[in-house]
Amino acid sequence: MLDGRSRVGGKQVFGILNIDKPAGVTSRDVVTRVVRQFRQATGQKIKVGHAGTLDPMASGVLILAVGKATRLIQYIQRRPKTYQATFRVDCTSESADLETELQPLAAPSRPQLADLQEVLPKFLGTILQVPPAYSAISIAGQRAYKLARRGIEVNLEPRQIVIHDLQVESYRYPELKMRIECGSGTYIRSLGRDIAKRLDSDAVMTDLVRTCIGTHHLEEALSFESLDFETLVAGLTDPLLVVDFMPKLALSLEERDRICTGRFIEWPAAFRQATQIAATDSQGRLVAILEPRGDQLKPVFNLGDGLFPQSG
């Protein structure tokens, strides 16, 4: 994430970008390209951050927040994610994917489709998952994957994750293709391995495509190869979509002025059950996220004069 501002036509550029990250490209590579395009066109720096890393071998939806919208990254990360994952269930690898050498199983169990269908419900809901040793989790200030690559044993504690849905899309031994809808923090390769181990086998993830984050879908994503300044500006979507799960409060001009200068407003009775509220202006554009403070509402952050650029 880089500091600074960028303006086009006197307005701050900000919003959400849905980009189709190709395999072989890092999430950081995508951010760097977007930053470079804005900098070359405007001569100014701009904040850009991604909401949820995709491993280099994975492809699909990568959500970038631009400008003040980077403050919304925490909300994007909470949205459910959908993946299409492919596994081989006749081999293993230290990384549980293709990063490390495949090792054939000595006596693979050859699970049947009926066996898979029977075991999948056990992985739905809130479960504990041990992250893979080849992950970016920090251990005593070092990334786990760096330790693992040096042959150092990595022991990670189980973490709570949420699996919303699991569907077998196709299965022809040894290849298993699944559709997975999950919450943040889920390691898909570990999930595939854990499912296989329940069937006395093992699994290596050979392909991963993220098809959706919240309301952002792969078929609507911008092609990485096509990214230039004009495409990026045209591709910015309304930040309000990121918080569509929050109740929306339309502000009066006076309330908008108060919020944009960091002051409080009255807490309407109709919103007394809400813990967070998306405040909009008269044209339905996101102005701020509000939280209760006593009998009033306080902006957690506000977008000030940086209105969504498509507003004219």
Side-chain angles (χ1 to χ4, degrees):
M1 187 179 296
L2 301 179
D3 293 331
R5 292 183 174 184
S6 179
R7 288 179 177 265
V8 174
K11 289 186 178 294
Q12 290 184 41
V13 175
F14 80 91
I16 304 299
L17 291 168
N18 176 7
I19 295 175
D20 181 3
K21 186 193 86 66
V25 173
T26 70
S27 299
R28 183 64 210 177
D29 289 338
V30 180
V31 172
T32 299
R33 179 160 180 168
V34 171
V35 169
R36 184 184 302 120
Q37 292 295 330
F38 277 113
R39 181 179 294 171
Q40 289 175 348
T42 66
Q44 301 177 47
K45 293 181 180 180
I46 186 171
K47 284 184 178 180
V48 179
H50 63 72
T53 303
L54 272 177
D55 288 342
M57 72 161 281
S59 63
V61 172
L62 182 69
I63 302 300
L64 269 56
V66 179
K68 286 188 175 182
T70 52
R71 301 177 186 179
L72 295 170
I73 285 177
Q74 59 177 307
Y75 303 106
I76 304 171
Q77 291 173 330
R78 298 176 194 170
R79 305 309 303 272
K81 302 170 178 65
T82 304
Y83 296 88
Q84 288 179 331
T86 304
F87 304 93
R88 279 187 58 176
V89 295
D90 65 341
C91 58
T92 187
S93 79
E94 290 186 3
S95 60
D97 62 13
L98 298 179
E99 180 181 345
T100 55
E101 184 179 358
L102 298 183
Q103 301 289 338
L105 298 177
S109 66
R110 297 180 69 95
Q112 301 298 306
L113 177 58
D115 301 325
L116 282 165
Q117 299 287 16
E118 183 178 351
V119 79
L120 290 185
K122 299 175 183 178
F123 289 87
L124 293 174
T126 301
I127 63 174
L128 290 176
Q129 181 186 75
V130 178
Y134 284 75
S135 66
I137 293 173
S138 180
I139 301 176
Q142 295 191 66
R143 299 295 187 185
Y145 67 84
K146 291 185 177 180
L147 297 174
R149 286 171 182 168
R150 301 205 311 259
I152 299 174
E153 185 177 356
V154 174
N155 294 307
L156 297 172
E157 293 296 320
R159 298 186 174 195
Q160 196 173 81
I161 61 169
V162 178
I163 306 298
H164 301 292
D165 191 39
L166 286 172
Q167 299 290 334
V168 174
E169 292 198 325
S170 68
Y171 179 51
R172 186 172 181 177
Y173 183 86
E175 185 178 85
L176 167 65
K177 293 186 177 182
M178 296 186 63
R179 178 186 179 276
I180 301 160
E181 183 181 346
C182 59
S184 61
T186 302
Y187 285 90
I188 303 299
R189 51 198 155 114
S190 290
L191 180 64
R193 170 171 281 183
D194 292 345
I195 291 171
K197 284 185 178 295
R198 285 286 186 100
L199 299 169
D200 299 319
S201 186
D202 208 327
V204 172
M205 187 177 73
T206 58
D207 188 56
L208 182 66
V209 181
R210 186 156 64 194
T211 60
C212 181
I213 299 180
T215 57
H216 296 87
H217 297 269
L218 181 58
E219 50 268 27
E220 303 159 356
L222 300 175
S223 165
F224 177 71
E225 291 75 14
S226 70
L227 296 182
D228 56 25
F229 178 70
E230 290 74 17
T231 301
L232 290 170
V233 172
L236 286 166
T237 58
D238 193 335
L240 187 62
L241 295 174
V242 171
V243 292
D244 61 349
F245 57 93
M246 294 183 188
K248 297 170 184 60
L249 171 63
L251 303 176
S252 67
L253 286 175
E254 180 184 354
E255 288 173 329
R256 183 185 180 282
D257 288 343
R258 293 184 64 84
I259 290 299
C260 288
T261 53
R263 291 177 288 170
F264 292 20
I265 62 172
E266 292 186 12
W267 189 3
F271 291 82
R272 287 300 173 108
Q273 300 303 313
T275 56
Q276 289 188 317
I277 298 167
T280 63
D281 65 7
S282 60
Q283 297 183 50
R285 300 172 302 201
L286 183 65
V287 173
I289 304 297
L290 309 178
E291 289 184 352
R293 291 294 187 274
D295 290 330
Q296 295 183 303
L297 292 173
K298 175 185 178 181
V300 179
F301 70 85
N302 69 75
L303 300 176
D305 64 349
L307 293 177
F308 184 59
Q310 275 79 341
S311 61

